[in-house]
Amino acid sequence: MKIRVKIILLILVAIASIGIIGILSVSQFHQINDSLRNDLPNGISTIEKTSELNGLAQLMRYYDEVTTQSARNYAFTQDKTWEDRYKQTMSELNSIITKAINEGDDQDKTLFSDISRANLASQVLEIKSLNLTDQGRTADAIKIMESKEYADLENTFAQGLKDYAARHGTAYDQALVADTQNINAVTTKMQNLVDDSTRFLFISIISAVIMAIVLGLLFSSSVTKSIKKLISASNEISKGNFDTKIEIKGKDEFSNLQKSFNMMTESLQKSALIISQTEQKYRNLYAKSPSLLRSITTEGILTDCNDAYAKALGYTKQEAIGMSIYDHTAERSISILKNNVENWRNTNEVSYVEIWMKRKDGTTFPTLMSGATLYDERGQVIGRTVALTDMTEIYDTRKRLDEDEARLREQFGELQNAHNLLAITEKKYKNLYEDSPVLMRTIDIDGKILNCNRSYAKSLGYTKEEVIGKSIFEHTSDRTIEAMKESFEQWKNSGEVSNKEIWLKRKDGTTFPILLSANNLVDENGKLIGSNTVIRDITEIHQARKELEEKETRLRLQYDELRTAHELLASTEQQYRTLYEKTPVLLRTITTEGILTDCNEAYATTLGYTKQEAIGMTIYDHTAENSVKEMKDNLEEWKKTHEVSHKEIWMKRKDGTIFPCLLSGGTLYDENGDVIGRTVALTDLTEIYEARRKIEESEQQVKESLTKLQKLNSLKDDFLTMITHELKTPLVPIRGYSDILMSEMIGPINEEQKKRLEIIRSSTTSLLKLISDLLDAQKIELGQLKLNKDIHDLGDIIKNSVNKMKPDADKKGLIITADLREPVPFLCDSSRLEQVISNLISNSLDFCPSQNGKINIKLNSEKGHARIIVKDNGIGIAKESISKIFVKFYQVDTSLTREHGGTGIGLAVCKGIVEGHNGKIWAESEGKGKGTEIHILLPLVK
């Protein structure tokens, strides 16, 4: 056989062998290619989807913790930053849950739908808590956040994430390992195929060595290089280098295999990027949160913390990480924290608890701790992340509340002392009712007037006797009678009397306006029985109101006109500019340095400048010297707060004259929100200042009138003193001469003349007593009653008084007895006390029945006091009159036909003398016809 044929045969055999081997290799490569096209992409898709869903689940857990913590912190601190963070995080959480539902499989959709429902229900409660906090109802807001319903919803949310983790916990790692194993299996299979093909070629085409070697080398070189590339790339991927790529040459099956391999690495790279971005976003939120965040192991060792935590405790993050949580806990809270950690280890739940933290420098501060448990991919607890809310401000607020409560207690004690002092002095000021210039009246539940002061009676043109007993409606003008009845019925039903404007009617028929208010009178059972009504004459106020209403009407018309003009001017920017320029209010616009950039015509004209002259000047050029400092302070305050506060400023015109104005306005911002100036309105206060000046002049006139009235009152007192002395001067000789005539020293007189002289003498004595009482009453009112005190026996004083009054008692057939058991020495003015006792006996003589009347005087000492009781069996005193008999000029019987005389001064003088001895005097009577007892209580001085 020729060499050529052999070569051809060898070539044919080699070609046939190569063809067979090629067919077998292609078959194997198709199997590998199918695995790379189907199995590996499916595994990569599973990894990618699982990785993305895991990232979304981690974000759900984190954002739920942020929204929960933000809602709680807002309820506790009312800091708007937490409310803003909640609203921002809430929308992101909702979008993440929606995305997870859309991208998951059927079971994932079910799990994430349950999580979504729990989240929406939780958000309803959280938003309700935010709204309650905005309304100031923080207690109700905290109650919602700590409610069982809210905790159950949060547990449902957390359980959904745990169920998802249980289902997908290791899916990502398993898929990655499986695909790596598939790649290794494919490469191993390809190596075996190459070895088999090489042996087959070596045995089959040994005769075509050169061609086999050439073809084998070419084939081996091509396959080996491709396999080595795949093996090298697989090793790089197993090391985590997802950027690895295989250079593709040609269009054979190895090229397809290399393309599939590169697609796999790209998918792995994208999954790794998503996981990295998710972890970075979580890390940024963790690091930048203003809350104090820390992560710990189950043994309480810090594995991480944010900057806010480290800074608050005075550490760097490197110093804090690795320390025990008890190193950062104040001694007072260590046992509480240990109990909390132990409870967390048992339940995996982080409960809310107040913990005192300890800084690096040893100082402590209170916090509220909350958080969440951390799980690994198998659902095992590996630690927890907690948020610590600084409660220093809350504790400071509690401390201030305690201090305020202590101050309130102290103030209450002071008020109680003041009340006791008022009770002591109440007796001294009960005459204010009668002498007050304010109109006052006392009524019963039926509107009947029981009492009134002199000002009330005088203002209405009546005497007090005419007023008392009348209905309040008789003194009410017809124009307000219905309003008065309505107010009266309202008072009877509610016990409240609001300031009511009523027109009263005088005796002569004229009317005048008053403002009515009252204090209720109740009996010992708290039942409403009447009121003390205070009435203020508002004639001048009513006239001023009328003038104000007229001015208001004019102003309203002007306002309506201005509003119409404003609505027309507001249609375009040019109209607004016209309003700025033409308004009568002084307007100017300035920079932050106080330089005028614009002003209206009113401003320039008022200050005497043109607009061109005014613009570019500083505001201090237009400010009066006495207001420059206030203007500077106002500008500096505005720069800090960006708020233009109302301020009275004196402006300076070009000619140097000044005028007052009220400054107000608003801040101007550029498109970036930066302050660039302000526009202010300056309201001319010249008229207001003029009105204020007139009011001050009116006040001065009122003061002058008051001074004149005080002088008149002093003249009245001087006149009363003078007139009593002038009356007493002629009475003394009249009495003296009547005594001389009755003694018949200058000649005999008959019985009829003696009777007439006796009448003269008795009348003179009564008039002298009246004048003396008037003088004494005047001295008591002025505080000028002089007492010459010395030690005297009260029994002797009473005996002297009885002996002096006994002749008068004998004439009327009355019996006077004195029960004086033991001497009672007392520091007193004996003549004044004798005057009191004699006056009381004289009153009893007047009101006791003749022939069978009895007067008894008792004296005894008890508990450091001497008590004198003057008792008679006379006509007695009605209960409603007992408290009034010591009031000057008061008469129980004021009728013209009264049986008993008197001026109503004697008992008032007795009261003044007794009180001058630091004593008390009062009357007791069971009623008319049952006699009277006058009690005197005097303090004994050791």
Side-chain angles (χ1 to χ4, degrees):
M1 185 178 293
K2 293 181 178 183
I3 296 173
R4 182 177 179 182
V5 173
K6 290 180 180 179
I7 294 173
I8 292 171
L9 289 174
L10 287 173
I11 292 173
L12 290 174
V13 171
I15 291 171
S17 300
I18 293 171
I20 293 170
I21 294 171
I23 291 171
L24 294 174
S25 298
V26 168
S27 175
Q28 293 295 322
F29 286 146
H30 276 300
Q31 292 178 11
I32 296 171
N33 188 45
D34 290 340
S35 177
L36 290 174
R37 285 181 177 275
N38 297 321
D39 297 338
L40 288 183
N42 289 338
I44 292 171
S45 176
T46 302
I47 292 172
E48 183 177 355
K49 183 180 293 185
T50 303
S51 175
E52 185 173 1
L53 288 176
N54 284 344
L56 293 174
Q58 289 294 331
L59 286 176
M60 287 182 209
R61 178 180 291 109
Y62 173 75
Y63 281 127
D64 177 63
E65 292 175 1
V66 173
T67 54
T68 300
Q69 191 62 38
S70 297
R72 291 184 187 276
N73 288 348
Y74 185 58
F76 279 101
T77 66
Q78 295 85 52
D79 186 350
K80 285 291 184 180
T81 303
W82 293 112
E83 182 183 23
D84 296 339
R85 176 164 298 146
Y86 172 84
K87 292 178 179 178
Q88 178 184 356
T89 310
M90 177 185 69
S91 61
E92 293 183 5
L93 176 59
N94 292 338
S95 63
I96 289 170
I97 295 175
T98 302
K99 184 177 180 181
I101 293 173
N102 294 333
E103 296 185 2
D105 57 20
D106 292 339
Q107 292 186 14
D108 290 336
K109 290 182 187 292
T110 301
L111 288 174
F112 287 130
S113 296
D114 293 339
I115 290 172
S116 178
R117 283 190 292 273
N119 176 60
L120 292 175
S122 297
Q123 287 178 359
V124 170
L125 295 179
E126 289 165 352
I127 291 172
K128 184 177 180 181
S129 174
L130 294 180
N131 292 334
L132 289 172
T133 303
D134 289 337
Q135 297 170 13
R137 299 166 58 188
T138 55
D140 294 338
I142 294 171
K143 185 175 180 182
I144 288 175
M145 297 305 297
E146 295 181 350
S147 66
K148 185 177 183 302
E149 178 185 1
Y150 182 77
D152 291 343
L153 292 172
E154 286 297 299
N155 290 335
T156 301
F157 187 96
Q159 187 59 44
L161 292 176
K162 287 181 181 179
D163 293 342
Y164 172 80
R167 181 169 180 260
H168 290 280
T170 58
Y172 175 76
D173 293 340
Q174 290 172 352
L176 185 60
V177 172
D179 284 341
T180 304
Q181 291 174 350
N182 286 340
I183 293 171
N184 291 332
V186 169
T187 56
T188 302
K189 186 176 181 180
M190 291 177 67
Q191 286 176 336
N192 292 334
L193 180 60
V194 170
D195 292 340
D196 292 341
S197 299
T198 303
R199 283 193 297 271
F200 178 76
L201 287 172
F202 182 77
I203 295 170
S204 300
I205 60 171
I206 195 168
S207 60
V209 176
I210 297 174
M211 184 62 70
I213 291 173
V214 171
L215 293 175
L217 289 174
L218 292 174
F219 182 77
S220 175
S221 175
S222 175
V223 172
T224 303
K225 285 182 179 179
S226 298
I227 291 173
K228 287 182 177 179
K229 288 180 179 180
L230 286 172
I231 292 172
S232 177
S234 298
N235 291 332
E236 290 296 323
I237 290 174
S238 66
K239 295 177 183 178
N241 186 8
F242 297 115
D243 294 331
T244 302
K245 294 286 186 297
I246 299 176
E247 184 179 359
I248 299 173
K249 293 182 179 180
K251 298 182 180 180
D252 56 9
E253 286 78 0
F254 281 106
S255 298
N256 293 334
L257 178 62
Q258 291 168 347
K259 287 180 181 179
S260 298
F261 187 89
N262 288 341
M263 289 172 62
M264 179 191 73
T265 57
E266 288 176 359
S267 297
L268 290 174
Q269 189 176 11
K270 289 179 181 178
S271 299
L273 180 60
I274 291 173
I275 293 172
S276 175
Q277 289 175 345
T278 301
E279 182 179 358
Q280 184 61 36
K281 182 180 282 188
Y282 172 81
R283 169 55 61 183
N284 289 338
L285 287 170
Y286 183 92
K288 301 304 180 182
S289 174
S291 293
L292 279 59
L293 302 177
R294 71 183 182 197
S295 299
I296 64 170
T297 66
T298 55
E299 301 304 321
I301 303 301
L302 264 75
T303 59
D304 198 3
C305 69
N306 64 354
D307 294 335
Y309 179 89
K311 183 178 180 181
L313 271 71
Y315 295 93
T316 63
K317 281 187 64 174
Q318 291 74 15
E319 290 176 327
I321 294 173
M323 298 179 71
S324 170
I325 55 175
Y326 304 112
D327 295 332
H328 301 165
T329 306
E331 188 71 27
R332 63 195 292 183
S333 294
I334 286 180
S335 61
I336 298 174
L337 183 58
K338 287 182 176 179
N339 292 335
N340 179 270
V341 171
E342 189 63 31
N343 181 65
W344 164 65
R345 290 172 179 165
N346 296 330
T347 64
N348 296 341
E349 297 291 335
V350 182
S351 58
Y352 284 85
V353 66
E354 287 189 13
I355 295 294
W356 281 79
M357 302 295 291
K358 182 175 69 176
R359 300 185 180 92
K360 185 176 181 180
D361 61 7
T363 59
T364 62
F365 63 98
T367 63
L368 179 67
M369 188 182 78
S370 60
T373 301
L374 303 177
Y375 300 88
D376 61 14
E377 62 276 3
R378 295 182 299 276
Q380 298 296 318
V381 175
I382 60 173
R384 68 177 182 179
T385 294
V386 297
L388 298 155
T389 303
D390 193 337
M391 298 181 64
T392 303
E393 293 185 1
I394 296 174
Y395 270 69
D396 291 342
T397 302
R398 290 179 186 169
K399 183 178 179 181
R400 287 195 294 272
L401 287 173
D402 292 339
E403 292 173 352
D404 291 342
E405 184 178 359
R407 283 196 295 272
L408 285 173
R409 290 198 187 99
E410 183 180 350
Q411 292 172 358
F412 177 77
E414 293 175 354
L415 287 173
Q416 196 168 26
N417 292 335
H419 172 74
N420 294 335
L421 291 174
L422 287 173
I424 294 172
T425 58
E426 179 183 2
K427 197 173 186 66
K428 296 181 181 179
Y429 294 100
K430 61 184 178 180
N431 287 336
L432 286 175
Y433 178 94
E434 184 66 33
D435 299 331
S436 174
V438 179
L439 282 59
M440 304 178 71
R441 70 185 180 196
T442 303
I443 65 172
D444 61 14
I445 196 69
D446 297 319
K448 181 180 178 181
I449 299 175
L450 303 177
N451 196 13
C452 70
N453 64 355
R454 286 194 293 270
S455 297
Y456 180 90
K458 183 178 179 181
S459 294
L460 270 71
Y462 295 94
T463 64
K464 282 188 63 173
E465 290 75 16
E466 290 176 321
V467 171
I468 294 173
K470 299 293 184 180
S471 170
I472 58 175
F473 302 111
E474 294 183 29
H475 299 161
T476 305
S477 171
D478 294 339
R479 65 192 293 181
T480 56
I481 190 73
E482 294 300 326
M484 185 65 189
K485 289 180 179 179
E486 180 182 349
S487 176
F488 184 74
E489 290 300 323
Q490 179 183 354
W491 165 71
K492 288 172 62 178
N493 295 329
S494 64
E496 297 180 356
V497 181
S498 58
N499 285 336
K500 190 74 176 178
E501 188 174 317
I502 298 295
W503 284 74
L504 292 185
K505 180 174 62 177
R506 298 186 181 91
K507 186 175 182 180
D508 61 4
T510 59
T511 61
F512 63 99
I514 57 98
L515 194 64
L516 181 145
S517 59
N519 295 320
N520 292 335
L521 300 177
V522 295
D523 59 16
E524 61 276 6
N525 298 319
K527 182 180 179 182
L528 185 67
I529 59 173
S531 74
N532 281 328
T533 308
V534 177
I535 298 169
R536 284 171 286 180
D537 189 341
I538 60 170
T539 302
E540 293 182 2
I541 296 175
H542 188 271
Q543 183 63 31
R545 184 192 299 167
K546 183 177 179 182
E547 294 176 359
L548 285 174
E549 287 174 352
E550 293 174 354
K551 291 180 180 178
E552 183 179 0
T553 300
R554 291 195 297 269
L555 288 173
R556 190 178 292 112
L557 292 174
Q558 294 174 359
Y559 172 76
D560 292 340
E561 293 172 358
L562 287 173
R563 184 175 62 181
T564 302
H566 173 72
E567 291 172 352
L568 293 172
L569 291 171
S571 60
T572 63
E573 183 180 356
Q574 182 59 38
Q575 290 172 328
Y576 166 77
R577 183 64 189 172
T578 302
L579 176 63
Y580 181 91
E581 290 293 341
K582 302 303 180 183
T583 180
V585 179
L586 280 59
L587 300 176
R588 72 183 181 198
T589 303
I590 65 170
T591 66
T592 55
E593 301 304 321
I595 305 300
L596 265 74
T597 58
D598 197 5
C599 68
N600 65 353
E601 292 293 343
Y603 180 89
T605 302
T606 302
L607 270 71
Y609 295 94
T610 63
K611 279 188 64 174
Q612 291 73 18
E613 289 176 326
I615 294 173
M617 299 178 73
T618 70
I619 55 176
Y620 307 115
D621 294 332
H622 301 162
T623 306
E625 187 174 351
N626 60 345
S627 290
V628 168
K629 185 179 182 303
E630 295 179 7
M631 189 72 248
K632 288 183 178 178
D633 294 341
N634 180 270
L635 188 65
E636 290 302 319
E637 181 183 357
W638 164 70
K639 288 180 180 178
K640 295 177 182 177
T641 64
H642 300 163
E643 295 181 359
V644 183
S645 58
H646 290 266
K647 190 72 175 178
E648 286 190 14
I649 296 293
W650 283 80
M651 301 294 291
K652 180 176 69 177
R653 299 185 182 91
K654 186 176 182 179
D655 60 6
T657 58
I658 61 175
F659 64 97
C661 65
L662 180 65
L663 180 146
S664 60
T667 301
L668 302 177
Y669 301 87
D670 61 13
E671 62 276 3
N672 298 320
D674 296 327
V675 175
I676 59 174
R678 68 178 184 180
T679 294
V680 297
L682 298 155
T683 305
D684 193 338
L685 298 177
T686 303
E687 294 184 2
I688 296 175
Y689 268 68
E690 182 63 23
R692 186 185 298 172
R693 184 185 62 78
K694 291 180 179 179
I695 291 172
E696 291 173 352
E697 291 177 355
S698 299
E699 289 179 351
Q700 183 62 32
Q701 293 174 358
V702 170
K703 290 179 181 178
E704 292 174 356
S705 299
L706 179 60
T707 302
K708 291 179 182 179
L709 290 174
Q710 290 173 341
K711 289 180 179 179
L712 289 174
N713 188 51
S714 177
L715 291 173
K716 181 264 293 181
D717 294 335
D718 294 341
F719 174 75
L720 183 59
T721 303
M722 180 271 294
I723 197 66
T724 51
H725 280 288
E726 291 300 322
L727 288 171
K728 192 172 183 180
T729 300
L731 288 175
V732 172
I734 291 173
R735 180 176 177 179
Y737 283 118
S738 63
D739 288 339
I740 293 172
L741 290 172
M742 289 185 66
S743 66
E744 298 184 358
M745 292 175 60
I746 57 176
I749 57 175
N750 56 38
E751 289 300 324
E752 191 63 29
Q753 290 173 331
K754 283 185 179 181
K755 289 180 181 180
R756 298 293 185 271
L757 287 172
E758 184 63 33
I759 292 172
I760 293 172
R761 185 176 181 278
S762 176
S763 298
T764 304
T765 301
S766 298
L767 191 55
L768 283 171
K769 183 177 181 303
L770 172 60
I771 293 170
S772 295
D773 287 345
L774 281 172
L775 280 173
D776 290 342
Q778 183 69 10
K779 291 176 181 178
I780 290 170
E781 279 191 358
L782 297 175
Q784 297 176 353
L785 183 66
K786 294 183 180 180
L787 299 175
N788 299 317
K789 295 182 179 181
D790 201 353
I791 300 296
H792 299 279
D793 182 11
L794 291 178
D796 292 340
I797 294 172
I798 293 172
K799 288 177 184 177
N800 293 337
S801 300
V802 170
N803 292 334
K804 188 181 296 183
M805 300 302 297
K806 191 167 181 61
D808 294 333
D810 292 339
K811 288 181 183 179
K812 297 186 65 175
L814 303 179
I815 299 174
I816 302 177
T817 59
D819 185 2
L820 309 173
R821 300 181 181 179
E822 59 184 14
V824 180
F826 182 59
L827 181 63
C828 62
D829 188 329
S830 60
S831 61
R832 288 297 185 181
L833 282 186
E834 189 174 317
Q835 177 184 348
V836 172
I837 302 300
S838 299
N839 202 344
L840 296 178
I841 295 174
S842 176
N843 284 347
S844 295
L845 291 175
D846 288 340
F847 293 98
C848 281
S850 299
Q851 306 308 322
N852 60 352
K854 295 181 180 179
I855 302 171
N856 178 255
I857 303 171
K858 290 183 180 180
L859 170 65
N860 56 63
S861 58
E862 53 184 37
K863 297 180 180 180
H865 288 79
R867 183 186 293 273
I868 302 172
I869 302 174
V870 180
K871 181 178 180 181
D872 63 50
N873 62 345
I875 63 174
I877 304 171
K879 289 185 178 181
E880 61 270 17
S881 300
I882 283 181
S883 62
K884 306 172 186 176
I885 63 173
F886 293 99
V887 177
K888 188 167 64 174
F889 302 119
Y890 178 79
Q891 295 285 347
V892 175
D893 184 4
T894 59
S895 63
L896 297 175
T897 59
R898 57 181 180 161
E899 299 179 7
H900 306 282
T903 61
I905 297 176
L907 288 178
V909 172
C910 292
K911 180 175 179 293
I913 293 172
V914 171
E915 290 179 349
H917 287 81
N918 299 319
K920 298 179 181 178
I921 183 170
W922 70 91
E924 295 180 0
S925 177
E926 296 183 2
K928 290 187 177 182
K930 297 185 179 180
T932 303
E933 289 185 4
I934 304 296
H935 291 253
I936 300 173
L937 193 65
L938 299 169
L940 298 176
V941 180
K942 293 182 180 180

